[in-house]
Amino acid sequence: EGVGAIAKIIVHFEQEAVVPSATTAPTQPPAATSSALAIVGKVGTEQSWSLDQLRGMDVVTLKVTHPKKGEQEVTGVRMNALLDLAAPAADATTLVITADDGFTAEVALADVRACADCLIAFNESNGLKSVMPGMESSFWVKGVVKLEIK
């Protein structure tokens, strides 16, 4: 027997088999597939990196104190090393940290530049987080995908 009035056929593939076309909306935001972190805004050169590229940089492991969670060990790339690659404009004053859920935190760029141990750290769920020792907990952002210089 045939089936009449078919409205939609859904075919599920393994993630690796999906090849988006120009007419297919991506199943994830581009930041999650093409790059793990981007630095944009008032910079000499906008930057973006995959997790593998970040892991291939000068990675450090530090013991830091979270304002609410206490001492913890984190591994990541120093935020200032990443900012140096982007070359913030001389008149830039603010760093906006954006998470994958849309949350943003604005911190004075001078405070970040003065923080030798501020990191973009690898989290447990194969993503990134900001580690901001000496700063309030709202600057410790989970799921970081973008740093914007203003």
Side-chain angles (χ1 to χ4, degrees):
E1 277 182 47
V3 178
I6 295 174
K8 184 190 289 186
I9 296 175
I10 299 174
V11 179
H12 295 278
F13 292 98
E14 292 296 319
Q15 185 64 28
E16 296 167 352
V18 176
V19 179
S21 69
T23 58
T24 303
T27 56
Q28 298 177 325
T33 55
S34 60
S35 72
L37 178 68
I39 299 181
V40 300
K42 292 176 87 170
V43 294
T45 307
E46 292 193 349
Q47 301 284 327
S48 67
W49 303 277
S50 68
L51 280 174
D52 286 342
Q53 288 171 320
L54 289 167
R55 285 191 179 101
M57 292 182 172
D58 187 13
V59 173
V60 297
T61 298
L62 304 173
K63 285 194 177 186
V64 296
T65 302
H66 186 283
K68 292 183 178 175
K69 299 177 183 174
E71 189 172 283
Q72 50 188 240
E73 189 171 274
V74 293
T75 300
V77 179
R78 292 188 192 274
M79 198 173 292
N80 277 315
L82 297 173
L83 292 173
D84 288 346
L85 294 171
D91 64 343
T93 59
T94 305
L95 175 67
V96 181
I97 305 167
T98 302
D100 53 10
D101 64 0
F103 175 83
T104 61
E106 289 194 17
V107 60
L109 184 59
D111 292 348
V112 176
R113 295 306 253 165
C115 177
D117 290 337
C118 286
L119 302 179
I120 290 297
F122 305 106
N123 67 22
E124 303 75 32
S125 60
N126 211 25
L128 301 169
K129 61 185 176 182
S130 61
V131 173
M132 310 294 278
M135 299 188 195
E136 63 185 71
S137 62
S138 64
F139 299 146
W140 296 62
V141 178
K142 295 180 275 190
V144 173
V145 294
K146 182 171 70 170
L147 302 176
E148 182 180 359
I149 310 294
K150 291 186 174 182

